[in-house]
Amino acid sequence: MRNAVNKMLITYPLFGVRIEWDDEIRQSTTEDAAEVPVKVYKRESENSWLEALNREHSIPVKPSTGPLTRIILVKGPTISELFIFCHHSICDGRSLELALREILLYLGDPDRVPPLLPAVPPQTPEIFPEGVSKSRITSWFIGRLNKKWHKEKVMFDEEDLMNVWESFWKNSSYGVKLITLDRHETQRFVEVCRANGVTVNSALLIAFVKARSEALGPYKGKVKIGTAVDTRDRLPLEIGDAVGLYAGGISLKFKYEQDRPFWENVREYHEEVKGHLKDNNVFGPIYDQIALDPTLLDALLFAMIGDQVEPHQSR
């Protein structure tokens, strides 16, 4: 497994980076980065992989030293599970799939030569499709935010990050829950989605809205639903099997009508999503993130849970 991971890193060195973080976050580098670990858990039940995943969530990531990636093997005598635990700041979900594929290919063929892929630029406005631009209102608003922030800037560093991490895990109840369908149920679900002319993703999102409404009461008015969108096929250059953050998103407000059938709600939501996918609005969230001062983005994240930091901590 160690050799397979090392070979994967030849093709995809991004998974072995650390972040240069001093007065500001400047760039990622593999120089002096900690080794990407291969962690092995014993498979004692069907849920051992989920227990391992939740345990890995509670282990802090130190960006300045790395690693930002961990390879997790839940090993059993007849069945094993392999997954990658990776910080979202360096790649999208499709990239994890590509990395796992390489590892599995090396496990099947240890003599396989690591492929060297052509250099592909990161997803920035310079490679967006023609016609993608920020609205004047958005540009004006973000410009005002940045200008005000520069007058009142508060810098956060890795020490602050570790304090917030410690406080979050001490004061929060967090974990991934697993809901599964067997093979027959999965096939039937896909068939019903096709019969209704919707995607599985649309059906699941509205199912979550319905479940939340039934558990906690209906939403007041519309609910904001966001979903990630793979942008690899929308960019004007060939991305191929490169890894990175090649994703955008759409966010829309939808009102779930309690007095209407579930699938009718799903169809209505799906039609709204299709309308948004026909244009290049999926690049909007990326534009906003790039336009905002990155230290302001950090501050907004710290503001959400920073009040949990306790007096005994360093800051």
Side-chain angles (χ1 to χ4, degrees):
M1 178 63 75
R2 179 75 262 171
N3 289 336
V5 171
N6 289 343
K7 285 188 173 182
M8 179 275 289
L9 291 170
I10 294 175
T11 303
Y12 295 133
L14 185 63
F15 289 105
V17 302
R18 65 179 182 87
I19 305 297
E20 291 190 339
W21 190 350
D22 38 45
D23 290 338
E24 60 182 21
I25 298 175
R26 294 181 292 168
Q27 63 183 6
S28 62
T29 178
T30 56
E31 185 177 349
D32 297 325
E35 183 181 58
V36 173
V38 177
K39 305 182 71 173
V40 181
Y41 288 87
K42 184 178 180 181
R43 191 180 195 274
E44 298 177 330
S45 70
E46 291 288 330
N47 288 327
S48 290
W49 73 269
L50 187 61
E51 294 166 1
L53 176 62
N54 283 326
R55 193 172 299 123
E56 289 298 319
H57 267 288
S58 66
I59 300 173
V61 173
K62 193 171 184 181
S64 65
T65 61
L68 302 185
T69 306
R70 305 173 202 147
I71 310 299
I72 313 299
L73 175 65
V74 182
K75 189 175 182 181
T78 57
I79 298 176
S80 297
E81 285 100 359
L82 177 68
F83 61 89
I84 298 182
F85 189 90
C86 180
H87 201 291
H88 202 2
S89 63
I90 60 172
C91 75
D92 53 27
R94 169 70 173 149
S95 298
L96 300 182
E97 178 188 342
L98 292 167
L100 278 172
R101 183 188 68 180
E102 288 298 307
I103 293 173
L104 292 174
L105 287 172
Y106 295 128
L107 290 175
D109 181 7
D111 296 324
R112 181 173 179 267
V113 178
L116 297 178
L117 303 179
V120 177
Q123 181 173 257
T124 62
E126 286 72 26
I127 65 169
F128 282 175
E130 281 189 36
V132 176
S133 63
K134 291 182 295 182
S135 72
R136 290 183 179 181
I137 295 177
T138 302
S139 298
W140 175 82
F141 182 70
I142 291 178
R144 286 203 62 183
L145 279 177
N146 286 338
K147 189 175 181 179
K148 184 177 181 181
W149 175 246
H150 290 158
K151 294 179 181 179
E152 307 171 358
K153 184 179 289 190
V154 177
M155 300 294 290
F156 295 92
D157 59 19
E158 197 166 63
E159 185 178 344
D160 296 307
L161 178 64
M162 293 300 103
N163 284 338
V164 168
W165 189 291
E166 178 188 339
S167 297
F168 174 80
W169 283 100
K170 182 177 179 180
N171 298 293
S172 304
S173 177
Y174 173 85
V176 178
K177 303 297 183 183
L178 185 63
I179 300 174
T180 59
L181 303 177
D182 62 29
R183 181 173 297 181
H184 174 75
E185 290 170 330
T186 301
Q187 182 178 355
R188 178 59 183 155
F189 181 49
V190 172
E191 290 172 352
V192 175
C193 287
R194 288 174 177 166
N196 280 276
V198 301
T199 61
V200 168
N201 192 57
S202 291
L204 288 175
L205 285 171
I206 300 305
F208 288 137
V209 172
K210 176 179 171 62
R212 188 271 185 195
S213 298
E214 292 177 347
L216 302 176
Y219 287 95
K220 294 179 180 179
K222 293 184 176 182
V223 57
K224 193 172 185 180
I225 304 176
T227 185
V229 178
D230 188 339
T231 58
R232 292 167 185 263
D233 293 336
R234 295 170 177 265
L235 295 169
L237 72 166
E238 182 66 32
I239 301 300
D241 288 341
V243 299
L245 197 56
Y246 299 103
I250 57 175
S251 179
L252 56 87
K253 292 184 177 180
F254 178 78
K255 181 173 177 57
Y256 187 90
E257 300 290 351
Q258 301 287 337
D259 58 344
R260 290 163 56 187
F262 169 76
W263 287 105
E264 190 174 326
N265 278 281
V266 176
R267 288 193 296 271
E268 181 178 336
Y269 170 76
H270 187 70
E271 287 302 313
E272 290 191 37
V273 170
K274 284 170 59 179
H276 284 74
L277 290 176
K278 289 178 181 178
D279 53 38
N280 287 318
N281 286 339
V282 298
F283 292 96
I286 308 169
Y287 245 132
D288 295 344
Q289 290 174 16
I290 292 173
L292 275 171
D293 185 310
T295 60
L296 175 55
L297 286 174
D298 289 341
L300 292 173
L301 293 173
F302 277 104
M304 288 191 292
I305 54 176
D307 60 351
Q308 294 182 6
V309 175
E310 299 178 355
H312 77 276
Q313 293 176 302
S314 60
R315 295 178 182 168

